[in-house]
Amino acid sequence: MNSLVIRRPDDWHVHLRDGPMLAHVLDFTARQFARAIVMPNLDPPVVTTADAVAYRGRITARLRPGRDFAPLMTAYLTDGTDPADLTAGFERRIFTAAKLYPAHATTNSAKGVGDIRRIAPVLAAMERIGMPLLVHGEVTEPSVDIFDREAVFLDRVLAPVLRDFPGLKVVCEHITTEEAVGFVLAAGDRVAATITPHHLQFSRNAIFQGGIRPHFYCLPILKREKHRLALRKAATSGSPKFFLGTDTAPHAVHTKENACGCAGVFNAPVALEAYLTVFDEEGALDRFEAFASEHGARFHGLPLNEGTVRLVREPLAVPERCEGEGVSVVPYHAGTTLPWRMVAG
Ligand code: DOR
Ligand code: ZN
């Protein structure tokens, strides 16, 4: 097969940032996807309904004329989140979901949740109204090895939450391990997961290939090869529990190529092409549309998109840098050539 037409896809996990970076990166996502779940980890974070209305306005104001793209907003949970405001924001369809960042787990997470037990009333409200909880699933204790933080989180934090809130809908974001795949599969229909292109394409060896490679540093960190293979199997299995979420996370080049570099892979410029390469290698082109355009919408109870995008088996040369708005970002697969290319809607 040399050409594939699929229903317009959605990206269920995107960092669009703010200010010049937002202006620079937005169209990379908007040209490929009809909708995207926009992560709230700005500084200061998007906590209230009013914050989300304002941020959504800044995003839509930056959209190119004619782009048909809907940002789906999320609330950043803190120890002080007000269940009444969260509920009102969801019922007014401002919020699509709420994001749990354990405090200090990743970029701009210092104001995240210190102890999940403190937000029990928030989780109870979300369970009652059917608002999905999106989870950055890593413990933050320095005593836990960075490669074990996801698996430990599932056991110590998420399993008790699922037990205590049996109706709560949960998306395990950017899963990276065999354990997470097993956990999600065992958990029943209300639990699903997003999977990034970089965790499908690279193991932790990539971070250390001939030197330290900061553009492969992200959180959760890339894992061993056996985990990558488990993720590929899950993503291409056809299970409705797994869907597309790029976790595209742009950082200016000087903040990545730094003695203390930021975490994140900027994959938006080549997101569909990277995922499709994986599905092609796995002999699962026929399952790509469901992963990219159906499973996430169904989980969230949203309509499927109208319209299509077309991808062709033609080389896509990825630039070394994406520059604009005074910002320079190194894209995923910089300087290499991918075998597929999105050509049109
Ligand atoms: O690598 C990451 N970058 N992981 C996250 O969880 C956050 C993201 C970011 O916002 O930069
Ligand atoms: Zn993220």
Side-chain angles (χ1 to χ4, degrees):
M1 207 192 294
N2 291 323
S3 166
L4 192 68
V5 176
I6 60 165
R7 182 187 290 280
R8 288 186 74 204
D10 301 306
D11 187 342
W12 298 99
H13 188 132
V14 168
H15 297 272
L16 289 181
R17 313 301 193 203
D18 215 341
M21 185 65 94
L22 166 64
H24 180 38
V25 302
L26 175 60
D27 200 56
F28 291 108
T29 293
R31 64 181 273 277
Q32 292 206 327
F33 298 99
R35 297 173 290 201
I37 285 261
V38 181
M39 289 295 149
N41 61 330
L42 306 181
D43 183 18
V46 178
V47 173
T48 64
T49 301
D51 295 339
V53 169
Y55 185 32
R56 189 176 62 181
R58 297 198 295 279
I59 296 167
T60 53
R62 297 284 190 188
L63 277 173
R64 286 199 186 171
R67 277 280 185 251
D68 177 21
F69 171 78
L72 305 178
M73 309 311 291
T74 56
Y76 179 111
L77 298 179
T78 72
D79 288 345
T81 293
D82 173 10
D85 178 69
L86 196 70
T87 303
F90 183 69
E91 288 177 343
R92 287 173 55 205
R93 297 175 189 262
I94 309 289
F95 287 133
T96 298
K99 178 79 187 275
L100 170 68
Y101 286 105
H104 308 293
T106 187
T107 308
N108 295 339
S109 61
K111 298 192 174 112
V113 174
D115 180 343
I116 190 120
R117 285 169 296 195
R118 278 189 223 139
I119 61 160
V122 171
L123 299 180
M126 292 175 64
E127 179 182 37
R128 194 175 63 247
I129 62 178
M131 182 178 195
L133 177 70
L134 315 182
V135 177
H136 182 111
E138 291 193 286
V139 294
T140 54
E141 289 93 321
S143 59
V144 179
D145 190 278
I146 189 169
F147 293 100
D148 298 334
R149 286 180 187 172
E150 180 176 277
V152 172
F153 181 92
L154 297 173
D155 275 357
R156 282 199 205 154
V157 183
L158 194 54
V161 166
L162 294 181
R163 196 180 55 231
D164 294 348
F165 301 93
L168 184 64
K169 286 173 79 169
V170 172
V171 183
C172 299
E173 296 296 333
H174 44 53
I175 59 168
T176 63
T177 56
E178 196 174 37
E179 288 86 346
V181 170
F183 185 96
V184 169
L185 283 173
D189 291 351
R190 64 174 171 131
V191 178
T194 56
I195 308 182
T196 77
H198 40 287
H199 290 99
L200 291 170
Q201 292 192 292
F202 292 96
S203 74
R204 65 190 191 180
N205 281 355
I207 312 169
F208 308 106
Q209 191 72 52
I212 191 121
R213 304 270 180 171
H215 300 290
F216 282 108
Y217 174 57
C218 61
L219 290 169
I221 198 156
L222 297 175
K223 303 295 194 299
R224 282 178 183 277
E225 181 66 1
K226 70 168 183 173
H227 297 295
R228 185 180 79 92
L229 297 178
L231 296 174
R232 287 170 77 98
K233 193 167 163 216
T236 59
S237 68
S239 165
K241 286 174 156 284
F242 301 106
F243 40 86
L244 187 159
T246 61
D247 198 14
T248 180
H251 292 276
V253 59
H254 66 278
T255 65
K256 292 283 295 175
E257 298 176 3
N258 188 293
C260 185
C262 296
V265 173
F266 177 48
N267 58 34
V270 295
L272 282 179
E273 291 89 346
Y275 279 116
L276 189 57
T277 302
V278 172
F279 276 70
D280 192 10
E281 288 164 356
E282 295 290 325
L285 286 178
D286 58 327
R287 298 195 173 145
F288 184 59
E289 181 175 42
F291 176 80
S293 315
E294 295 172 6
H295 295 163
R298 293 214 175 97
F299 182 85
H300 282 276
L302 294 170
L304 300 185
N305 298 314
E306 300 295 328
T308 56
V309 297
R310 193 155 84 89
L311 293 120
V312 293
R313 196 189 294 278
E314 281 175 14
L316 172 67
V318 186
E320 295 284 355
R321 297 275 174 97
C322 293
E323 285 171 341
E325 305 288 338
V327 194
S328 180
V329 190
V330 174
Y332 183 46
H333 288 298
T336 72
T337 300
L338 296 181
W340 286 89
R341 196 156 65 81
M342 191 189 106
V343 284

